[in-house]
Amino acid sequence: SAPRCHINKQLLDVRVLKGEPAELSCAVSTTEVTGTWFKDGLKLKSMDGVYFEKEGLVHKLIINKVDDIHAGKYRFEGGDLKTEASVFVEDPPQVDKVLLKNLTSVPTVAKAGQKVNIKIPFEGRLPIRAMWLKDRMELVDDTRTRVDKTETFTMLSISSSERKDCGDYKVRLKNDSGVLEINLKLVVLDKPQPPAGPIKIVESSANDITIQWKPPKDDGGKPLQNYVVEMQQIGKSDWVALGETPRGCTTFTTNKVEQDMSYYFRVRAVNAEGTSDPLESDEVKVVGKPSPGAPDPPEIVSASRDTITISWKAPRKTGSSRIVGYIVQKRKKGTTTWLPVNSVPVADKKLKMTNLKKGLQYEFRVAAVNAAGVGDPSGPSQPVFARDSTKSLGQVQDLQVSSSDSTSVTLTWKRPEAKDGSDVKGYEVEMRSSNNLSWTKCNSLPIEATTYTVKGLRAKQIYFLRVRALNDSGPGEAAELEACIEAAPRVVSPRLLIDGTVKSFLVVKAGNTIRVNIPFEASPDPMVTWLKDGRPLPSQATTNTKNGTAQLLIAAAEFTDSGTYTIELQNGLGERETFSFQVQVTDIPQSPGPIRLEENVPNTVTVTWEPSASEKWENDLYYTVLKRESQKGLWHVVGDLIYTNKFTFTKLIPGRDYYFRVVAKNNLGASGPSETAKPWRIQKPKVEFQVKPQKYKGVNQNQPPRFLVPLKPHVVTTGSECRMSCAVGGHPPPKITWYKDNRDLSNDPTYFCTNDFGICSLVLLGVTKQDEGEYMVEATNEMGRAFSKAFLAVRGMS
């Protein structure tokens, strides 16, 4: 006998995006099998876009462009052979690509007070849930903000925009096929806030006054242009415009004041959108100081055991009248008491003092005198001994250039040879260029070390440098050398060395360290700037630049650290180089909320649960549903890759206990489970025992079918549940068949039919637009036939 035919390769379930092609294929053991294809129990024929192929042992069903009508259970039969599989049509939310690029790449800009409408049309399988978030928090309707959603679009409306509406927005579109997230930026422009106070008086005299303030905390989104300063004399009602300052200057001096008068000042900030409200000062009284200010500390001209000569310069502030002379005071080094040197003011700015004690060390100070009296004293002079000067010091030894570059020279030397026990107190360094004859001091205080770096030099120039040792008698003999400054190094434009080690997208677990090293090349060293989402880095982020590598470090990542980071290099010529990368901080999801169980359709259970809190920040979160049939049995997965918060389980056996648990998952792992507290059970139907009465021939009670309560029209919204019911009489009990647009629904798994003692119902879960149409119920028995019709209309969600 011929070998028995069998299936080499079974049909496999297929998940396919709407609009994409799909293929079901199986293989049999002999080419003699022709085979027939069925969908949802009905025999299939070739039609537009669906055709069958047979290639040797392989039989294929090919769909050119999948639509919702192609979803269902397919079966291939050939002789005694049979294999089944399902086609699942995925239709996730989608937005037009050009609109998506415009929304995500260009900020939406509005002026304060204007109405903002951001409308996003979308497509995809209904129902689609739309959520708007700002700073990770879901937007809720209030007096200014409203979120609208229909079957075809979602829209954010802000009736009167304000600066606080600026920021990053996220739109999340979600259905049972997937999630689409859109990131937007909204910029609201306004006039600046008032300058930050208080207004301070930094300088005041009888003739002028200088005020100071701080920039506004918010520039309104546009760069400041300038500040406007006004003044009001107390007792008068008018404000007088004094002038303007550029945006970088926050001080203003006016001479339009009079001594002993009081004034108010106010300052406004200006940008392209307008002028801020004013910052006003407290009452300011103009009081000129009549006596002079303090001169600089006097200089020591010469010193011996009998005399010390000092000189000084006039103070910068002379007071309310001219200076008539100066008072000089002295004190012994280490004491606090100042003693007068002259009782009558000396008109000259130089004084030779003789009444000194030999060998003591003195300090001197000077105060100017005018008609109002003695002014503030200067600081003390350098301490000086009343003794004959020791022998001047000789030259420092071995003066040489130890290193140099295009802007600096480092000198080193050794102490001069000791002469008569003279003690070196320090060193001074002077310089002059080759085309200048005058020497310039490089250090203001004596240098204690025997090395010094002269900075601020120009490349390709020749400089003369000299060093002298210092003691109480003054500077010693100079040692001099010539130095030629190198040419400036070749300018290398800043360039980021982005290679395989630098990633453009980082996923970091919350609590872990974010460490990004970015190598670069540039000469001279560039200015390195880091930004997050276009703004300065948060305080927990630190940066470091060393040896051609810039580093970003965040010790313990938080969810708020997610975003776009940008590094910018810039040199003195204005050349720039930037690189941006994404950081996504995530974590194992938090557990879902409590579980509810409902029997919406007989002999099924619908599991619903509260969303995991991680849904607010996690893009790729989904759910898995598990069940077991006793308190200690093994858990089995019954639903996976679920993007909604609902799952219906149909394979229930009456009389058994079922326990369910739900876990949230992402690419890092799974949350802890949320479980049902009590088991779910469908009771076994009770068996009724009846005593069969003795048959006897009586009146014929047979009746043809008739509708006691006919079908009624229904209008429902998408996503809701619909139950269509009627009441049927007749004997024997009629057979009930349901039709939609004349198509038999008996073998369609998406419809549930019930018949309880003549009460007949058709249940549709999660109604879609495709469910709209004319429904008919037919009742038949041996006595006749009856039918009732009604129309189901489906409306979009408001």
Side-chain angles (χ1 to χ4, degrees):
S1 62
R4 187 180 176 191
C5 180
H6 59 270
I7 290 178
N8 291 340
K9 178 189 165 192
Q10 300 278 352
L11 291 179
L12 298 176
D13 288 351
V14 175
R15 290 185 178 271
V16 61
L17 285 174
K18 187 175 180 180
E20 297 290 315
E23 180 180 294
L24 290 172
S25 69
C26 62
V28 297
S29 60
T30 174
T31 57
E32 296 173 5
V33 176
T34 54
T36 307
W37 290 90
F38 296 83
K39 177 180 182 291
D40 298 330
L42 298 176
K43 182 177 178 180
L44 279 177
K45 298 177 182 178
S46 287
M47 62 183 87
D48 285 345
V50 180
Y51 58 94
F52 315 124
E53 278 188 3
K54 179 175 183 293
E55 298 176 359
L57 303 176
V58 179
H59 294 259
K60 294 183 180 179
L61 182 147
I62 299 171
I63 305 172
N64 282 341
K65 192 174 180 182
V66 170
D67 206 340
D68 287 329
I69 61 169
H70 296 121
K73 182 162 284 191
Y74 289 79
R75 185 171 79 249
F76 175 81
E77 289 186 5
D80 295 332
L81 305 180
K82 185 187 297 183
T83 176
E84 287 186 341
S86 294
V87 173
F88 299 96
V89 179
E90 304 286 2
D91 190 8
Q94 297 182 66
V95 173
D96 179 73
K97 290 182 179 177
V98 175
L99 173 64
L100 194 61
K101 184 175 181 182
N102 290 340
L103 284 171
T104 55
S105 61
V106 181
T108 301
V109 180
K111 294 192 176 185
Q114 281 186 344
K115 186 173 182 179
V116 174
N117 286 328
I118 304 176
K119 182 177 179 180
I120 303 180
F122 55 75
E123 297 176 345
R125 177 173 299 136
L126 300 175
I128 294 178
R129 183 186 174 204
M131 181 189 299
W132 289 74
L133 299 101
K134 180 176 184 288
D135 301 327
R136 299 184 177 274
M137 299 297 292
E138 184 175 359
L139 289 177
V140 294
D141 291 355
D142 58 27
T143 53
R144 291 189 309 110
T145 307
R146 193 175 87 241
V147 174
D148 292 306
K149 189 229 172 218
T150 71
E151 283 187 353
T152 57
F153 71 86
T154 180
M155 184 165 72
L156 172 66
S157 303
I158 303 175
S159 60
S160 177
S161 57
E162 298 176 3
R163 280 286 289 165
K164 67 182 181 181
D165 297 321
C166 287
D168 294 323
Y169 290 74
K170 178 177 286 188
V171 185
R172 182 177 291 153
L173 303 174
K174 183 175 181 181
N175 67 6
D176 59 5
S177 292
V179 181
L180 174 65
E181 292 200 339
I182 305 167
N183 293 304
L184 320 169
K185 189 179 286 290
L186 174 61
V187 177
V188 180
L189 304 177
D190 199 358
K191 66 183 183 182
Q193 287 188 358
I199 292 178
K200 294 181 180 179
I201 309 302
V202 293
E203 200 166 326
S204 174
S205 69
N207 307 111
D208 55 43
I209 195 163
T210 301
I211 64 172
Q212 184 182 53
W213 60 92
K214 294 177 184 175
K217 292 180 180 177
D218 183 3
D219 62 6
K222 283 284 187 78
L224 295 182
Q225 295 175 339
N226 56 276
Y227 296 96
V228 176
V229 183
E230 298 173 291
M231 178 181 76
Q232 181 191 54
Q233 184 176 326
I234 290 183
K236 295 186 178 181
S237 59
D238 295 335
W239 286 89
V240 178
L242 296 178
E244 298 179 357
T245 70
R247 64 184 179 189
C249 179
T250 56
T251 61
F252 186 86
T253 302
T254 178
N255 58 6
K256 297 179 181 178
V257 293
E258 299 178 26
Q259 190 170 332
D260 297 325
M261 299 297 291
S262 294
Y263 299 90
Y264 292 119
F265 293 90
R266 71 183 183 190
V267 184
R268 302 174 191 262
V270 181
N271 70 3
E273 297 299 314
T275 303
S276 73
D277 294 333
L279 167 70
E280 291 194 17
S281 72
D282 295 329
E283 180 182 335
V284 178
K285 187 168 185 178
V286 180
V287 179
K289 187 176 180 183
S291 57
D296 289 335
E299 300 274 345
I300 307 298
V301 177
S302 63
S304 69
R305 63 182 177 179
D306 300 318
T307 62
I308 293 177
T309 302
I310 64 171
S311 67
W312 59 89
K313 295 177 182 177
R316 284 179 285 276
K317 295 181 182 179
T318 61
S320 56
S321 59
R322 71 179 184 85
I323 293 174
V324 296
Y326 297 90
I327 296 293
V328 179
Q329 295 175 316
K330 67 180 180 182
R331 72 178 179 188
K332 295 173 187 176
K333 176 76 186 295
T335 65
T336 57
T337 304
W338 290 94
L339 301 173
V341 173
N342 58 323
S343 55
V344 178
V346 56
D348 198 4
K349 292 191 280 293
K350 189 173 184 180
L351 184 64
K352 182 178 181 179
M353 292 160 286
T354 56
N355 190 18
L356 302 170
K357 190 174 283 189
K358 179 183 174 183
L360 286 182
Q361 196 175 17
Y362 288 93
E363 292 175 318
F364 301 93
R365 71 180 186 183
V366 182
V369 181
N370 69 1
V374 180
D376 295 331
S378 72
S381 69
Q382 289 290 327
V384 60
F385 283 97
R387 65 188 180 192
D388 290 336
S389 59
T390 56
K391 290 183 180 180
S392 62
L393 293 164
Q395 282 190 349
V396 298
Q397 304 293 304
D398 297 335
L399 175 63
Q400 59 184 346
V401 175
S402 65
S403 65
S404 67
D405 58 26
S406 61
T407 60
S408 67
V409 167
T410 299
L411 303 173
T412 60
W413 60 88
K414 294 179 182 175
R415 291 169 60 90
E417 291 181 358
K419 293 181 181 179
D420 303 327
S422 57
D423 192 20
V424 176
K425 301 290 187 182
Y427 302 91
E428 71 176 15
V429 177
E430 296 173 292
M431 59 161 277
R432 68 177 179 88
S433 61
S434 58
N435 54 9
N436 193 348
L437 296 177
S438 60
W439 290 90
T440 303
K441 244 185 185 182
C442 300
N443 55 301
S444 56
L445 296 174
I447 303 165
E448 295 182 1
T450 56
T451 181
Y452 185 77
T453 299
V454 182
K455 298 181 180 179
L457 306 180
R458 302 177 71 174
K460 297 184 180 180
Q461 289 273 354
I462 294 175
Y463 289 88
F464 295 96
L465 303 160
R466 69 185 187 188
V467 179
R468 297 195 284 192
L470 304 174
N471 68 3
D472 292 332
S473 65
E477 186 181 350
E480 188 173 325
L481 57 72
E482 179 181 321
C484 183
I485 303 305
E486 302 171 7
R490 181 174 66 90
V491 173
V492 178
S493 299
R495 187 166 74 93
L496 292 161
L497 305 176
I498 305 301
D499 56 16
T501 63
V502 181
K503 297 179 181 177
S504 60
F505 187 79
L506 297 175
V507 177
V508 181
K509 186 177 179 182
N512 285 0
T513 300
I514 299 175
R515 181 183 285 105
V516 180
N517 293 314
I518 298 185
F520 65 86
E521 64 177 13
S523 179
D525 287 342
M527 183 172 72
V528 181
T529 305
W530 288 87
L531 301 170
K532 176 181 180 285
D533 298 327
R535 297 178 181 175
L537 292 179
S539 58
Q540 67 267 27
T542 58
T543 61
N544 183 33
T545 305
K546 189 176 182 182
N547 299 330
T549 299
Q551 184 185 74
L552 168 71
L553 180 68
I554 301 176
E558 300 176 3
F559 294 116
T560 54
D561 293 322
S562 294
T564 301
Y565 290 79
T566 302
I567 179 175
E568 179 185 270
L569 307 182
Q570 182 175 357
N571 63 11
L573 301 176
E575 296 176 316
R576 297 187 182 191
E577 174 93 345
T578 63
F579 172 70
S580 296
F581 57 93
Q582 292 279 125
V583 173
Q584 175 69 46
V585 180
T586 185
D587 203 349
I588 293 172
Q590 296 184 27
S591 300
I595 296 176
R596 294 192 308 279
L597 302 176
E598 298 171 345
E599 186 179 8
N600 293 327
V601 175
N603 295 331
T604 69
V605 59
T606 298
V607 185
T608 58
W609 58 91
E610 294 297 319
S612 162
S614 303
E615 270 197 34
K616 291 181 180 177
W617 62 77
E618 178 57 63
N619 301 344
D620 301 321
L621 184 137
Y622 62 92
Y623 296 95
T624 298
V625 179
L626 305 94
K627 65 93 178 167
R628 67 181 179 188
E629 297 181 13
S630 68
Q631 253 183 320
K632 295 183 180 179
L634 294 175
W635 289 102
H636 297 281
V637 174
V638 293
D640 199 10
L641 293 172
I642 301 168
Y643 288 93
T644 60
N645 307 122
K646 183 176 180 181
F647 175 76
T648 300
F649 182 62
T650 58
K651 300 174 182 176
L652 293 176
I653 299 173
R656 290 191 184 175
D657 286 346
Y658 291 90
Y659 297 83
F660 292 91
R661 69 162 39 163
V662 181
V663 293
K665 294 182 178 178
N666 64 7
N667 53 13
L668 283 184
S671 72
S674 178
E675 297 185 4
T676 50
K678 296 179 180 179
W680 179 265
R681 171 181 286 195
I682 294 176
Q683 299 296 330
K684 287 184 179 180
K686 294 180 180 179
V687 179
E688 296 183 0
F689 296 93
Q690 295 181 344
V691 178
K692 290 185 178 180
Q694 189 176 355
K695 288 185 178 179
Y696 64 93
K697 291 184 179 179
V699 179
N700 185 357
Q701 295 182 341
N702 290 353
Q703 292 182 339
R706 69 185 187 284
F707 282 89
L708 307 175
V709 178
L711 283 181
K712 294 179 181 177
H714 284 66
V715 179
V716 297
T717 56
T718 55
S720 61
E721 181 184 295
C722 176
R723 182 185 294 268
M724 306 177 74
S725 300
C726 61
V728 181
H731 192 81
K735 176 189 175 185
I736 303 299
T737 308
W738 288 86
Y739 299 86
K740 175 183 181 288
D741 297 330
N742 296 320
R743 180 170 69 88
D744 189 343
L745 304 180
S746 302
N747 294 314
D748 193 325
T750 58
Y751 298 91
F752 296 93
C753 308
T754 62
N755 184 354
D756 296 321
F757 305 105
I759 306 300
C760 304
S761 297
L762 179 72
V763 181
L764 293 78
L765 297 175
V767 172
T768 68
K769 194 69 179 174
Q770 284 75 24
D771 292 320
E772 188 171 81
E774 184 180 67
Y775 288 78
M776 181 178 80
V777 58
E778 180 187 55
T780 57
N781 67 7
E782 61 192 38
M783 301 299 295
R785 170 178 176 272
F787 61 87
S788 178
K789 296 181 179 180
F791 194 83
L792 170 62
V794 181
R795 297 286 179 261
M797 297 176 69
S798 58

